[in-house]
């Protein structure tokens, strides 16, 4: 069984995932300036994400695609005064394509001078095409319109749909994409930063939990004693302990970096909603939990530990580094499942989350070794090793088992299979946490528990806390919202009894009931009438003259459920959602296939759009240059934007103000 678990861990840890690119790494601003009655200058300023290359107009053929401009000048109203000038570029040989490629360095500035041949020309239309590459390449196309009378600049989705007189911007320089792109990007960055901070904090506390396991805790006094006895002076002992701690941090951060490299540096939204990977993560966490509960130990080969120990005997800086590596290997049976769980969770967040996670974990793991070496007297106050260490380990096993079912629930939600509906999920969690409470009360014994006739006061308080949480979940079986664990169980609408046992289908906007729902609508969270098709929802909004709340969401989106449970449930917000807007919820992870006739190749990603989820994800990228969920924007019935786009906004008052501000602009 131990070998099987090790092989499963090794198999999953070596899977390489090519992440689906979900955002444009290049951001543009543009403007037009009048030099004389017939001469104008167009300027584009671009910023490319770190690590990405955008290629010059003059890059060699056979490599990445060059930057190119197409001017919609069918009537010969103007001429270009020479080629578009470029800011600094570098030339570098590409071993794969065997050509010299030229790409931009730093901020990009492109300038094109134009002379009118027809003084009556009212606008200039330009298409910019380019390719940005990192480990993969993304082809992009942007359409710009310049009003020569107002000197306004705007990016549009389609030249034919742009009515210059009605929709030109009042300012002479705007953000390319739409007026909300900058705010959307800032919102996404804030959400990403919050997510990384959360990962760090959770990982930090997980590191402390790993300290309190039988594999790590007894090594603290042993290691500290080694440094204090082997070092000639106290200062030397402190220095060696700090090097030891830093080495521990580096080992785990390098592990996080490797995972980041394997899973891709960009958002892994596609991975987090992928059915197969959620099932693999579920199985992996069940193996980890089973190990912590005492069925077997997941261990690295003994030969690894022996080789590292032999290097640790060399002494000096190299010896200390190998001592840190020995700690990581020897304690793997306790730290491995925790590290594996953190990496699984962090990898599903994408970006630098695995690195940040390992930084938090290793910092908590290393700090006690450094602090006790600096203040050896503190060792006397440390609790002695004993059966309580196994209690901590088993408790972590129960937590990992509960978390495993969240990944299984994600897979079920994406498939809309309805095998693991809300009641079943809660029943499983109640059973797991109930068993944990009984274990803490001493009513259940597991293989490595020490015989004891009583329990400590600390264990009693923990048992009471787990019992309270277990009882708290019970009303959820009958429809209670359970806001404390919002986002973990399936939503209230994904249940055998969506309105609770004996509940009825209540209000909705426009007073619709289940039998009176408009075409394409359904009753969503809190009985809000929600459309899942953009065109049908927009048509209904026009028919009743109400603004649209466009909601990009996902079946497996935790923050989307939190918004629905915490924010949308507020009476004032709920009243607005039911009565003042038409809600269109577009699920970017809906796996249902589009009819063959509706499938197409995306202009944004270059990939074939096969499912409903692909369609709405591509729609969000194409029109709003964003990929995060939740993502909200208020539209007028002519699809004009009435608000800046926002993402996860857990502050009820802030979200309510945002809604009212956008709705107030409705014609």
């Amino acid at each position: 069984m131990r070998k099987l678990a090790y092989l499963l861990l090794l198999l999953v840890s070596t899977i390489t995932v090519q992440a689906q690119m979900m955002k444009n790494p290049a951001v543009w601003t543009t403007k037009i300036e009048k030099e004389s009655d017939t001469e104008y200058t167009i300027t584009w300023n671009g910023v490319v994400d770190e690590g990405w290359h955008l290629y010059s107009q003059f890059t060699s053929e056979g490599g990445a695609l060059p930057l190119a401009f197409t001017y919609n000048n069918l009537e010969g109203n103007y001429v270009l005064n020479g080629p578009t000038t470029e800011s600094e570029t570098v030339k570098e040989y590409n071993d794969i394509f065997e050509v010299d490629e030229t790409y931009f360095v730093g901020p990009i500035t492109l300038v094109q001078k134009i002379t009118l041949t027809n003084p009556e020309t009212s606008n200039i239309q330009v298409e910019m095409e380019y390719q940005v590459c990192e480990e993969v390449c993304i082809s992009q196309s942007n359409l710009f319109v310049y009003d020569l009378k107002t000197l306004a600049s705007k990016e549009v989705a389609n030249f034919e749909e742009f009515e210059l007189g009605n929709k030109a911007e009042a300012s002479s320089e705007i953000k390319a994409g739409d007026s909300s792109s900058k705010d959307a990007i800032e919102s996404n960055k804030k959400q990403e930063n919050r997510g990384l901070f959360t990962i760090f904090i959770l990982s930090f506390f997980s590191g402390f939990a790993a300290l309190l396991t039988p594999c790590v805790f007894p090594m603290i006094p042993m290691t500290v004693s080694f440094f204090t006895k082997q070092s000639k002076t106290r200062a030397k002992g402190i220095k060696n302990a700090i090097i030891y701690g830093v080495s521990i941090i580096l080992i785990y951060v390098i592990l996080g970096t490797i995972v980041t490299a394997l899973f891709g540096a960009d958002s892994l939204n596609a991975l987090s909603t992928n059915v197969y990977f959620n099932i693999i993560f579920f199985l992996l966490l069940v193996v980890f939990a089973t190990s912590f509960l005492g069925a077997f130990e997941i261990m690295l080969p003994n030969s690894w530990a022996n080789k590292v120990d032999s290097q640790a005997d060399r002494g000096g800086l190299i010896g200390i580094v190998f001592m840190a590596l020995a700690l990581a290997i020897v304690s793997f049976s306790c730290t491995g499942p925790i590290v594996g769980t953190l990496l699984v969770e962090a990898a599903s967040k994408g970006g630098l989350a695995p690195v940040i996670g390992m930084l938090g974990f290793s910092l908590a793991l290393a700090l006690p070794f450094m602090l006790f070496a600096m203040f050896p007297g503190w060792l006397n106050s440390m609790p002695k090793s004993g059966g309580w260490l196994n209690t901590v380990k088993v408790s972590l096993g129960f937590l990992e088992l509960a978390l495993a079912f969240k990944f299984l629930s994600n897979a079920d939600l994406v498939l809309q299979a309805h095998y693991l509906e809300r009641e079943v999920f809660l029943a499983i969690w109640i059973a797991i946490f109930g068993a944990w409470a009984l274990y803490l009360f001493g009513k259940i014994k597991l293989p490595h528990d020490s015989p004891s006739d009583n329990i400590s006061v600390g264990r009693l308080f923990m048992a009471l806390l787990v019992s309270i949480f277990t009882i708290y979940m019970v009303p959820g079986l009958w429809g209670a919202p359970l806001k404390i664990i919002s986002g973990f169980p399936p939503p209230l609408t994904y249940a055998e009894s969506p309105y609770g046992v004996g509940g009825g289908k209540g209000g909705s906007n426009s007073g619709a009931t289940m039998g009176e729902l408009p075409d394409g609508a359904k009753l969503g969270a809190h009985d809000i009438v929600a459309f899942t098709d953009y065109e049908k929802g927009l048509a209904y909004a026009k028919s009743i003259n109400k603004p649209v709340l466009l909601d990009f969401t996902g079946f497996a989106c935790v923050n989307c459920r939190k918004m629905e449970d915490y924010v949308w449930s507020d009476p004032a917000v709920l009243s607005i959602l039911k009565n003042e807007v038409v809600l269109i919820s577009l699920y970017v992870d809906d796996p249902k296939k589009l009819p063959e006739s509706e499938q197409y190749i995306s202009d944004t990603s270059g990939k074939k759009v096969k499912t409903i989820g692909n369609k709405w994800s591509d729609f969000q990228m194409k029109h709003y240059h964003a990929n995060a969920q939740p993502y909200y924007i208020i539209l007028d019935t002519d699809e004009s934007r009435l608000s800046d786009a926002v993402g996860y906004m857990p502050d009820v008052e802030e979200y309510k103000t945002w809604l009212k501000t956008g709705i107030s602009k409705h014609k």
Side-chain angles (χ1 to χ4, degrees), residues 41 58 135 167 201 222 260 278 386 434 436 560 592:
T41 300
F58 313 111
E135 293 178 352
K167 298 187 179 180
I201 294 299
M222 293 169 52
T260 300
N278 273 286
W436 184 13
C560 303
K592 292 191 284 293

Side-chain angles (χ1 to χ4, degrees), residues 243-315:
I243 294 173
Y244 180 73
V246 171
S247 299
I248 292 173
I249 294 173
L250 286 176
I251 288 168
Y252 284 100
V253 168
I254 289 171
L255 175 61
T257 304
I258 292 172
V259 171
T260 300
L262 290 176
F263 284 81
D266 285 280
S267 173
L268 296 186
N269 187 56
L271 174 62
S272 66
T273 59
N274 183 282
V275 172
Y276 299 106
F277 276 97
N278 273 286
I279 292 174
I280 289 174
F281 293 159
F282 162 72
L283 294 174
L284 185 61
L285 292 190
V286 169
V287 171
F288 289 159
T290 308
S291 171
F292 266 167
L293 292 174
F296 54 84
E297 288 188 352
I298 302 173
M299 299 180 64
L300 295 174
N302 290 329
S303 59
W304 291 16
N306 295 333
K307 289 179 181 178
V308 170
D309 280 338
S310 65
Q311 294 296 320
D313 294 336
R314 293 170 59 179

Side-chain angles (χ1 to χ4, degrees), residues 366-389:
L367 273 176
F369 289 96
M370 293 188 286
L371 292 175
F372 280 115
M374 294 177 183
F375 308 99
W378 290 3
L379 288 172
N380 297 327
S381 62
M382 281 183 60
K384 295 181 180 180
S385 300
W388 66 273
L389 292 173

Side-chain angles (χ1 to χ4, degrees), residues 451-473:
S452 176
D453 296 328
N454 53 56
I455 60 174
S456 66
V457 174
R459 182 166 173 171
L460 174 63
F461 278 119
M462 189 65 188
L464 291 172
L465 185 64
V466 175
S467 298
I468 291 169
F469 180 70
T470 305
I471 296 170
Y472 166 78
M473 288 190 290

Side-chain angles (χ1 to χ4, degrees), residues 183-203:
D183 300 282
I185 292 171
E186 290 302 317
S187 175
N188 290 343
K189 286 182 178 178
K190 289 179 182 178
Q191 186 171 338
E192 180 180 348
N193 290 337
R194 284 196 295 266
L196 290 177
F197 180 73
T198 302
I199 286 288
F200 178 83
I201 294 299
L202 291 175
S203 301

Side-chain angles (χ1 to χ4, degrees), residues 3-60:
K3 291 183 178 179
L4 178 62
Y6 169 67
L7 289 174
L8 179 59
L9 174 63
L10 186 62
L11 173 63
V12 174
S13 65
T14 55
I15 293 177
T16 301
V17 179
Q18 178 59 62
Q20 177 183 351
M21 303 313 302
M22 300 301 291
K23 68 184 183 73
N24 184 359
V27 177
W28 296 94
T29 58
T30 185
K31 65 180 179 179
I32 187 168
E33 298 171 295
K34 186 175 182 178
E35 308 295 344
S36 69
D37 289 342
T38 59
E39 294 183 337
Y40 294 83
T41 300
I42 298 176
T43 304
W44 295 270
N45 292 301
V47 178
V48 181
D49 287 353
E50 185 177 354
W52 290 83
H53 291 156
L54 191 149
Y55 295 87
S56 162
Q57 303 167 92
F58 313 111
T59 192
S60 303

Side-chain angles (χ1 to χ4, degrees), residues 98-116:
E98 298 182 343
V99 296
D100 288 324
E101 292 183 322
T102 305
Y103 56 86
F104 292 96
V105 178
I108 303 169
T109 299
L110 307 168
V111 179
Q112 178 64 62
K113 295 185 178 297
I114 292 174
T115 299
L116 300 184

Side-chain angles (χ1 to χ4, degrees), residues 541-585:
K542 290 179 179 179
S543 70
I544 62 173
N545 193 30
K546 286 186 178 181
V548 167
L549 174 60
L550 191 55
D551 163 33
F552 288 97
T553 184
F555 293 117
C557 172
V558 173
N559 283 341
C560 303
R561 302 293 84 77
K562 288 182 178 179
M563 285 294 294
E564 293 166 5
D565 291 347
Y566 280 97
V567 181
W568 287 13
S569 61
D570 178 81
V573 173
L574 188 57
S575 176
I576 294 173
L577 297 179
K578 286 188 173 184
N579 301 303
E580 299 183 39
V581 297
V582 173
L583 177 64
I584 302 179
S585 295

